Amino acid sequence: MSSGPDTTVEHRLEELITEAQTALPVELPALANRCASVLGLDTALIYLVDLQQRLLIPLDEALQPLQVDHSSAGWAYRTVSPRVVDADDGVTVWIPLIDGAERLGVLAVRAASLDEVRMRRGRMLGHLFAMLITSKRAYSDWLAARTRTVTMGLPAEMLRAFLPPHTISSKRCVSTAVLEPAYDIAGDAFDHSVVKNVLHTMILDSMGHDLASGLSTSVAMAAARNARRGGGGLADVVGAVDQALAQWLPDHFCTGVLCRLDAETGILRWVNCGHPPPLLIRGERVLAGALDSPPQPPIGLAGPLAPAPRQVHEATLAPGDCVLLYTDGVVEARDADGAEFGLDRFTDFIIRSNAAGQRPAEVLRLLIHAILDYQRNQLRDDVTILLFEWRPQHRLSRHRLP
């Protein structure tokens, strides 16, 4: 059996993929170009989004960053759709780099001309390098440093080591989060994880704004994950965080909301520990008070202040429902005249963005920038927002709320 051109391409591509497994992150730009050449494309350039999702930063250090909000590359990133741009010497296709539901950046694929085969190969190259970047950024200081635009504070460095990807999803649900100030967070954090058909989400706000605050939140997140991975229920998870903080950091506590969504049935369970209540958005309105619950003490109180067994509350979502978790820094942001950003402005922004067809991750990107602009980039407190949506494949005929 003779080997034809296609077989030669496959062999060469196999060699490059094997090489990619041990390639240093700094070698990825050159590797991308070699892969593009094998696939009949001219070049491929990798751009990663910065921490604040304002810039697309090239891994080729000789190139300049591009604006997320004012470029064809940014359009591909914002919409998670390829963007074709004609040029005198051919075409450039901006292809979004996606890890599951997490937007990493874009790949610029250049070719003399574009047809269905080249487009498919460009998308394939995007999938490959998204996986490579995801696998290598877990241990690469260079990739982490490349996506920063200013020096990061120590509390933020510690907390960010605990944070999951900003966006995760399954066939039935999506969860996305943002937090600011990106380089100076201390007490706020979020967590989300999908275990089989269950979405776990959590938002925390630790007292203070220093290294001890970040340490408290880090211990809380570690204790919650430890209990969750051990099979504990919601009350068990909160109890584990209570015990961990009381034992190791007895003078510190945090507020928080922990949720567990059964993505098959839409049953939502949650525990609110001294935190602003979750908000339920259905259609184009907030269902006021739908997820309110009797107040419970913050997490980590010990001795005579130790809380009674935690109460777990339950509701059943309707398909398409969104649940919003946030820290008080969101609504307390103030403009130059001292006017608060406020809960109404906050929820109205999300509803309008959803109605305009924006994806959840893009909704929060735009919202966090609106909050920063409102307070002239000088936040008085950490701001963290987590939004999750239930979108089952088959609509349920009945639903209820408490």
Side-chain angles (χ1 to χ4, degrees):
M1 183 176 177
S2 61
S3 62
D6 288 345
T7 304
T8 302
V9 169
E10 288 178 1
H11 286 166
R12 182 62 184 132
L13 193 58
E14 180 185 17
E15 292 173 358
L16 289 171
I17 292 174
T18 301
E19 177 186 343
Q21 295 177 359
T22 56
L24 295 173
V26 74
E27 297 170 332
L28 290 180
L31 182 65
N33 276 328
R34 296 206 300 278
C35 287
S37 178
V38 168
L39 293 173
L41 307 167
D42 293 346
T43 61
L45 304 174
I46 302 168
Y47 289 76
L48 297 184
V49 72
D50 78 310
L51 281 182
Q52 295 182 298
Q53 299 184 83
R54 294 186 184 274
L55 298 173
L56 289 163
I57 300 175
L59 290 194
D60 184 340
E61 295 175 321
L63 301 177
Q64 293 298 312
L66 302 172
Q67 295 285 334
V68 169
D69 287 321
H70 304 290
S71 67
S72 296
W75 188 94
Y77 176 83
R78 299 192 311 269
T79 63
V80 196
S81 302
R83 182 69 177 262
V84 180
V85 179
D86 292 323
D88 294 338
D89 57 349
V91 296
T92 298
V93 184
W94 295 98
I95 297 172
L97 294 172
I98 309 294
D99 172 30
E102 174 82 336
R103 301 181 296 181
L104 306 176
V106 293
L107 184 72
V109 175
R110 294 177 180 170
S113 61
L114 188 64
D115 56 21
E116 183 179 347
V117 172
R118 290 189 179 91
M119 190 69 179
R120 184 173 64 250
R121 290 180 175 181
R123 289 196 300 265
M124 182 176 69
L125 203 58
H127 294 321
L128 171 62
F129 276 88
M131 289 187 289
L132 286 173
I133 290 163
T134 299
S135 68
K136 294 179 185 298
R137 68 176 178 172
Y139 61 83
S140 171
D141 284 348
W142 183 74
L143 284 175
R146 192 76 186 125
T147 55
R148 298 180 182 183
T149 57
V150 298
T151 302
M152 181 170 290
L154 180 56
E157 190 76 66
M158 179 177 63
L159 250 180
R160 284 196 172 276
F162 279 86
L163 293 180
H166 283 83
T167 306
I168 63 172
S169 70
S170 70
K171 293 180 180 178
R172 296 182 175 90
C173 60
V174 61
S175 178
T176 186
V178 290
L179 73 172
E180 285 282 354
Y183 297 92
D184 196 33
I185 54 169
D188 277 18
F190 68 89
D191 194 19
H192 46 201
S193 175
V194 176
V195 181
K196 295 184 178 179
N197 290 316
V198 177
L199 171 66
H200 303 262
T201 61
M202 176 173 67
I203 194 165
L204 297 170
D205 184 357
S206 180
M207 58 172 287
H209 192 88
D210 53 21
L211 187 62
S213 302
L215 182 59
S216 300
T217 306
S218 300
V219 169
M221 292 181 70
R225 289 175 179 172
N226 183 256
R228 191 176 69 213
R229 292 166 183 172
L234 263 183
D236 300 319
V237 172
V238 181
V241 180
D242 272 325
Q243 293 174 13
L245 288 178
Q247 178 180 358
W248 299 107
L249 295 164
D251 296 327
H252 290 78
F253 63 87
C254 60
T255 66
V257 177
L258 292 82
C259 300
R260 183 170 294 193
L261 172 66
D262 186 321
E264 287 191 335
T265 65
I267 294 176
L268 173 69
R269 295 182 174 89
W270 77 96
V271 177
N272 188 343
C273 304
H275 201 80
L279 300 177
L280 177 60
I281 299 175
R282 177 169 296 162
E284 296 185 9
R285 67 189 185 98
V286 177
L287 298 190
L291 301 181
D292 286 359
S293 57
Q296 298 187 61
I299 308 172
L301 298 180
L305 297 176
R310 298 290 185 173
Q311 291 183 304
V312 179
H313 303 276
E314 181 178 311
T316 301
L317 303 184
D321 277 356
C322 294
V323 176
L324 190 62
L325 310 180
Y326 62 98
T327 57
D328 54 14
V330 174
V331 296
E332 293 176 359
R334 297 179 182 273
D335 65 10
D337 298 323
E340 287 190 346
F341 193 80
L343 189 60
D344 289 342
R345 193 193 310 266
F346 173 49
T347 54
D348 182 63
F349 189 103
I350 291 176
I351 290 169
R352 286 188 290 103
S353 298
N354 273 338
Q358 300 284 5
R359 294 169 179 264
E362 182 63 11
V363 171
L364 292 199
R365 187 189 77 88
L366 294 171
L367 174 58
I368 199 72
H369 290 170
I371 294 171
L372 284 168
D373 292 344
Y374 189 82
Q375 200 161 322
R376 307 169 306 285
N377 289 322
Q378 299 295 323
L379 293 176
R380 303 180 184 184
D381 193 6
D382 292 351
V383 170
T384 303
I385 311 166
L386 186 147
L387 175 71
F388 63 90
E389 178 183 354
W390 185 48
R391 47 186 190 188
Q393 293 174 312
H394 303 288
R395 296 180 65 89
L396 298 179
S397 58
R398 300 180 65 186
H399 55 81
R400 63 178 172 81
L401 288 170

